Amino acid sequence: MAFFLNKEQVREQVKQRLKDNGYRVTSQRLAIVELLFDLEHPTADEIYQSLTSEFSNMSLATVYNTLHSLENIGTVRGFSCGEKCFRYELYQENHHHLICNECSKIVDIFLETCIDTAKVAEQTGFKNVTESVEFRGICAECADKLSAPAE
Ligand SMILES: [Zn+2]
Ligand SMILES: [Zn+2]
């Protein structure tokens, strides 16, 4: 996924947004942001597994709380990717997700017809409005496998 901001800029932006919104800047919060920069669409559990050695006192609940705070400041977007599937991503540019029905691969797609979230915010009084549209299909690799004759 192509980001407008590099990791250092994201760090600075998040620090500022945390302060502006009355949240403390903690190393755990920043570590989660950096991990989100490196991983595409991780689950909360994947984030937890990746950081548990670095932050031995971090619980899965802390990860969820942090993701929630980061959503509130408009840095993170959580989205559902099917039954019992919920993933997170660093949110910089509005985009949609195309999910493969077979292997659950998620591809970011950028369309010109994104909803004007600023307008939605203006009309409703909501803050940090994001939009999450899910497209589904079968990816090229899975389509190949499906069409191959059974052995
Ligand atoms: Zn697939
Ligand atoms: Zn995405």
Side-chain angles (χ1 to χ4, degrees):
M1 139 125 228
F3 286 129
F4 285 146
L5 304 176
N6 66 32
K7 211 171 185 176
E8 194 50 41
Q9 289 168 322
V10 168
R11 243 181 106 91
E12 290 313 306
Q13 184 192 56
V14 170
K15 277 188 192 172
Q16 194 56 49
R17 284 185 183 174
L18 285 169
K19 284 182 202 155
D20 289 349
N21 288 275
Y23 291 104
R24 280 193 307 128
V25 176
T26 65
S27 54
Q28 289 191 2
R29 284 177 175 152
L30 292 178
I32 288 181
V33 168
E34 288 188 12
L35 197 66
L36 282 160
F37 195 95
D38 295 332
L39 301 177
E40 281 190 27
H41 311 119
T43 62
D45 200 54
E46 283 166 0
I47 294 170
Y48 171 67
Q49 297 299 340
S50 305
L51 291 177
T52 188
S53 57
E54 194 180 339
F55 300 97
S56 51
N57 60 342
M58 184 187 261
S59 65
L60 185 57
T62 314
V63 173
Y64 275 114
N65 286 338
T66 303
L67 288 167
H68 189 62
S69 310
L70 293 169
E71 268 188 306
N72 282 343
I73 62 168
T75 292
V76 161
R77 173 167 74 172
F79 62 95
S80 154
C81 43
E83 204 183 338
K84 291 184 188 154
C85 174
F86 204 81
R87 293 181 173 275
Y88 295 87
E89 67 185 342
L90 211 56
Y91 190 73
Q92 288 200 19
E93 191 181 353
N94 199 1
H95 64 273
H96 303 306
H97 292 128
L98 174 60
I99 304 175
C100 176
N101 284 332
E102 294 294 322
C103 66
S104 303
K105 168 162 70 193
I106 302 171
V107 178
D108 286 333
I109 48 173
F110 296 84
L111 300 175
E112 276 155 34
T113 51
C114 284
I115 290 164
D116 186 347
T117 50
K119 199 176 233 167
V120 173
E122 197 185 293
Q123 284 174 0
T124 58
F126 276 50
K127 276 171 63 179
N128 296 326
V129 175
T130 60
E131 135 191 44
S132 179
V133 177
E134 174 190 306
F135 295 91
R136 289 209 164 246
I138 298 170
C139 77
E141 284 154 41
C142 289
D144 275 356
K145 276 184 215 153
L146 287 173
S147 65
E151 284 167 36

